[in-house]
Amino acid sequence: VNYQLENIPVWKAYEEKVSCPLCSLEDKAERQYVSFYLGNSVMAPEIRVKINKSGFCPDHWKQLLSGRNKLGMSLVISTHLETIKPLLDKVIKTGISTPGKRGKKEETAPAGMVRKCPICSRIDHALENYSYTIIHLYKNESDFPPVFADSSGFCLPHTSRIISMASRFLNKKQKPLFIKDMQQIYRRRIRKAEEHLDGFQKKFDYRSEGEAMTREEQEAVREAVLFLGGSIREDS
Ligand SMILES: [Zn+2]
Ligand SMILES: [Zn+2]
């Protein structure tokens, strides 16, 4: 695999001190790709050919629907319907006539015809590049490790990406340093989350009556969910 370095957007995400740089980068990438498929590009037949077979995942269909290019969408949908017509015939026939196997349901269900959604694939590809860049900066730019060590790490869903990149691209000397930084970041983050959740819960006690909640306490549950579940889409 060839990874592409994305130093500028990665540095920017770190300067913004967001709760997960990969969440914020993912969010930007997603908006960009959704607007690509809503733009004039879908008028081009070669782009439509690609979408014909794959369609989109349910989440991205919904995001596309809320966009403005209804004509473009209608063209995409027309050719997509044309393509899935014969496939659907086959899926219904073989799906019903073959004895059902547990756990294999999604392969025969009509929704299983959706191959990898092109927006999801592009996001995944972008995230691989961003994760690779983070490890690359850690290895090669002396300015980066202190900023990294001072960050909030990543949400849990994105943490595994970084761990796997680190295991592949850091050398024997760099790994112990990276492990130490990561452990400290996560310990600090969880300790803070526990503190704020605890403070939040205490404010419900009659003994704390009249005491105002701090900003951190007000945000405690939301912040913890951002950590455990990754970015929350609030505009949809
Ligand atoms: Zn994240
Ligand atoms: Zn998708």
Side-chain angles (χ1 to χ4, degrees):
V1 193
N2 272 330
Y3 293 105
Q4 204 181 319
L5 285 173
E6 299 284 359
N7 295 11
I8 292 166
V10 166
W11 264 114
K12 221 175 139 221
Y14 274 89
E15 279 158 10
E16 286 165 6
K17 295 189 183 292
V18 288
S19 75
C20 172
L22 289 177
C23 277
S24 102
L25 289 162
E26 175 172 7
D27 197 51
K28 282 188 190 126
E30 186 175 40
R31 282 168 204 272
Q32 190 192 323
Y33 302 146
V34 168
S35 71
F36 171 83
Y37 286 105
L38 280 173
N40 291 330
S41 55
V42 290
M43 304 300 223
E46 65 271 19
I47 300 284
R48 286 223 300 283
V49 166
K50 271 192 190 164
I51 312 169
N52 279 346
K53 277 193 181 166
S54 66
F56 296 97
C57 67
D59 192 35
H60 287 130
W61 272 125
K62 282 174 210 151
Q63 286 185 38
L64 289 164
L65 187 61
S66 57
R68 269 189 220 130
N69 189 357
K70 285 284 188 290
L71 173 62
M73 279 302 286
S74 83
L75 294 172
V76 168
I77 290 169
S78 290
T79 40
H80 181 52
L81 288 175
E82 199 59 46
T83 314
I84 63 170
K85 236 183 330 196
L87 292 173
L88 195 50
D89 258 354
K90 229 164 95 190
V91 162
I92 290 170
K93 186 160 182 279
T94 55
I96 294 174
S97 53
T98 33
K101 278 187 200 142
R102 271 168 163 252
K104 289 244 169 177
K105 215 173 103 206
E106 64 277 9
E107 282 170 26
T108 48
M113 285 164 38
V114 175
R115 288 164 184 84
K116 200 145 172 142
C117 158
I119 297 178
C120 285
S121 317
R122 290 179 74 179
I123 291 172
D124 188 63
H125 183 67
L127 278 175
E128 285 293 286
N129 285 334
Y130 292 137
S131 309
Y132 176 78
T133 304
I134 291 169
I135 298 302
H136 173 89
L137 291 176
Y138 191 89
K139 269 175 86 164
N140 301 299
E141 277 193 29
S142 59
D143 293 357
F144 188 72
V147 174
F148 181 83
D150 198 39
S151 75
S152 319
F154 307 91
C155 67
L156 286 192
H158 284 141
T159 298
S160 51
R161 273 188 192 267
I162 290 295
I163 289 176
S164 101
M165 279 291 170
S167 80
R168 281 154 66 198
F169 295 106
L170 293 179
N171 65 32
K172 270 189 188 159
K173 256 173 95 182
Q174 296 153 342
K175 280 184 178 178
L177 298 171
F178 192 73
I179 291 170
K180 207 174 128 232
D181 279 346
M182 285 284 278
Q183 286 175 335
Q184 272 170 1
I185 288 168
Y186 283 82
R187 280 187 209 131
R188 187 173 64 218
R189 183 158 185 169
I190 290 177
R191 194 176 57 235
K192 267 195 204 162
E194 287 172 334
E195 231 171 72
H196 298 154
L197 285 167
D198 192 49
F200 171 78
Q201 288 152 10
K202 280 199 175 116
K203 292 290 150 70
F204 287 85
D205 193 303
Y206 69 95
R207 281 164 293 193
S208 333
E209 213 184 273
E211 279 177 43
M213 250 188 224
T214 65
R215 213 190 123 66
E216 280 95 350
E217 288 164 356
Q218 279 171 19
E219 294 286 313
V221 174
R222 188 190 132 80
E223 279 299 318
V225 171
L226 282 175
F227 172 58
L228 297 170
S231 70
I232 308 164
R233 194 171 304 284
E234 279 161 306
D235 51 7
S236 68

Coordinates of all heavy atoms in Angstrom, one line a residue, residues 186-201 216-217 220-221 223-225 227-228:
Y186 N -3.9 8.3 27.7 CA -5.2 7.6 28.0 C -5.5 7.6 29.5 O -6.6 7.8 29.9 CB -5.2 6.2 27.4 CG -5.5 6.3 25.9 CD1 -4.5 6.6 25.0 CD2 -6.8 6.3 25.4 CE1 -4.8 6.8 23.6 CE2 -7.1 6.4 24.1 CZ -6.1 6.7 23.2 OH -6.3 6.8 21.8
R187 N -4.4 7.4 30.3 CA -4.7 7.5 31.8 C -5.2 8.9 32.2 O -6.1 9.0 32.9 CB -3.4 7.2 32.5 CG -3.1 5.7 32.6 CD -1.9 5.5 33.5 NE -1.2 4.3 33.1 CZ 0.1 4.2 32.9 NH1 0.9 5.3 33.1 NH2 0.7 3.1 32.5
R188 N -4.5 9.9 31.6 CA -4.9 11.3 32.0 C -6.3 11.5 31.5 O -7.2 12.1 32.2 CB -4.0 12.2 31.3 CG -4.1 13.7 31.6 CD -3.0 14.5 31.0 NE -3.1 14.5 29.5 CZ -2.0 14.4 28.7 NH1 -0.8 14.4 29.2 NH2 -2.2 14.4 27.4
R189 N -6.7 11.1 30.3 CA -8.0 11.3 29.8 C -9.1 10.7 30.6 O -10.1 11.2 30.9 CB -8.0 10.9 28.3 CG -9.4 11.2 27.7 CD -9.3 11.2 26.2 NE -10.5 11.6 25.6 CZ -10.7 12.0 24.4 NH1 -9.7 11.9 23.5 NH2 -11.9 12.3 23.9
I190 N -8.8 9.4 31.0 CA -9.8 8.7 31.7 C -10.0 9.3 33.1 O -11.1 9.4 33.7 CB -9.5 7.2 31.7 CG1 -9.8 6.6 30.3 CG2 -10.4 6.4 32.8 CD1 -9.5 5.2 30.1
R191 N -8.8 9.7 33.7 CA -8.9 10.3 35.1 C -9.7 11.5 35.0 O -10.6 11.7 35.9 CB -7.5 10.6 35.5 CG -7.4 10.9 37.0 CD -5.9 11.1 37.5 NE -5.3 12.2 36.7 CZ -4.1 12.0 36.1 NH1 -3.5 10.9 36.1 NH2 -3.6 13.0 35.4
K192 N -9.5 12.4 34.0 CA -10.3 13.6 33.9 C -11.8 13.3 33.7 O -12.6 13.9 34.3 CB -9.8 14.4 32.7 CG -8.8 15.5 33.1 CD -8.6 16.4 31.9 CE -7.3 17.1 32.0 NZ -6.9 17.7 30.7
A193 N -12.1 12.3 32.8 CA -13.5 12.0 32.6 C -14.1 11.5 33.8 O -15.3 11.9 34.1 CB -13.5 10.9 31.5
E194 N -13.4 10.7 34.6 CA -14.0 10.2 35.9 C -14.3 11.3 36.9 O -15.3 11.4 37.5 CB -13.1 9.2 36.5 CG -13.1 7.9 35.8 CD -12.0 6.9 36.3 OE1 -11.0 7.3 36.8 OE2 -12.2 5.7 36.1
E195 N -13.3 12.2 36.9 CA -13.5 13.4 37.8 C -14.7 14.2 37.4 O -15.5 14.6 38.3 CB -12.3 14.3 37.6 CG -11.5 14.7 38.8 CD -10.2 15.4 38.3 OE1 -10.3 16.6 37.8 OE2 -9.1 14.8 38.4
H196 N -14.9 14.5 36.2 CA -16.0 15.3 35.7 C -17.3 14.6 35.9 O -18.3 15.2 36.2 CB -15.8 15.8 34.3 CG -14.5 16.6 34.1 ND1 -13.8 16.7 32.9 CD2 -13.9 17.4 35.0 CE1 -12.8 17.6 33.1 NE2 -12.8 18.0 34.4
L197 N -17.3 13.3 35.6 CA -18.6 12.5 35.7 C -19.0 12.5 37.2 O -20.1 12.6 37.6 CB -18.4 11.1 35.2 CG -18.4 10.9 33.7 CD1 -17.8 9.6 33.3 CD2 -19.7 11.2 33.1
D198 N -18.0 12.3 38.1 CA -18.2 12.3 39.5 C -18.8 13.6 40.0 O -19.8 13.6 40.7 CB -16.9 12.0 40.2 CG -17.1 11.6 41.6 OD1 -18.0 10.8 41.9 OD2 -16.4 12.2 42.5
G199 N -18.2 14.7 39.5 CA -18.7 16.0 39.9 C -20.1 16.2 39.4 O -21.0 16.8 40.1
F200 N -20.4 15.8 38.2 CA -21.7 15.9 37.6 C -22.7 15.2 38.5 O -23.8 15.7 38.8 CB -21.7 15.3 36.2 CG -23.0 15.2 35.5 CD1 -23.7 16.3 35.0 CD2 -23.7 14.0 35.4 CE1 -24.9 16.2 34.4 CE2 -24.9 13.9 34.8 CZ -25.5 15.0 34.3
Q201 N -22.4 13.9 38.8 CA -23.3 13.1 39.6 C -23.6 13.7 41.0 O -24.7 13.6 41.5 CB -22.8 11.6 39.7 CG -22.8 10.9 38.4 CD -21.8 9.8 38.2 OE1 -21.1 9.5 39.2 NE2 -21.6 9.3 37.0
E216 N -17.1 21.8 32.8 CA -16.7 20.5 32.5 C -17.7 19.4 33.0 O -17.9 18.4 32.4 CB -15.3 20.2 33.3 CG -14.1 20.7 32.6 CD -13.7 22.1 33.1 OE1 -14.6 22.7 33.9 OE2 -12.6 22.6 32.8
E217 N -18.3 19.7 34.1 CA -19.3 18.8 34.6 C -20.6 18.7 33.7 O -21.1 17.7 33.4 CB -19.8 19.2 36.0 CG -18.7 18.9 37.1 CD -18.8 19.6 38.4 OE1 -19.8 20.4 38.5 OE2 -18.0 19.4 39.3
A220 N -19.6 16.6 30.8 CA -19.0 15.3 31.2 C -19.5 14.1 30.4 O -18.7 13.3 29.9 CB -19.1 15.1 32.7
V221 N -20.8 14.0 30.3 CA -21.4 12.8 29.7 C -21.1 12.8 28.2 O -20.7 11.9 27.6 CB -22.9 12.7 29.9 CG1 -23.5 11.6 29.1 CG2 -23.2 12.5 31.4
E223 N -18.7 14.5 26.6 CA -17.2 14.3 26.4 C -16.9 12.8 26.5 O -16.1 12.3 25.7 CB -16.4 15.1 27.4 CG -16.3 16.5 27.1 CD -15.5 16.7 25.7 OE1 -14.5 16.0 25.5 OE2 -16.0 17.6 24.9
A224 N -17.5 12.1 27.5 CA -17.2 10.7 27.6 C -17.7 9.9 26.5 O -17.0 8.9 26.0 CB -17.7 10.2 28.9
V225 N -18.8 10.3 25.9 CA -19.4 9.5 24.8 C -18.5 9.8 23.5 O -18.3 8.9 22.7 CB -20.9 9.9 24.6 CG1 -21.4 9.3 23.3 CG2 -21.7 9.3 25.7
F227 N -15.4 10.2 23.5 CA -14.3 9.3 23.7 C -14.6 7.9 23.4 O -13.9 7.2 22.6 CB -13.7 9.5 25.1 CG -12.7 8.5 25.5 CD1 -11.5 8.4 24.7 CD2 -12.8 7.6 26.5 CE1 -10.5 7.5 25.0 CE2 -11.8 6.7 26.8 CZ -10.6 6.6 26.1
L228 N -15.7 7.4 23.9 CA -16.1 6.0 23.7 C -16.6 5.6 22.4 O -16.4 4.6 21.8 CB -17.1 5.6 24.8 CG -16.6 5.7 26.3 CD1 -17.8 5.5 27.2 CD2 -15.5 4.6 26.5

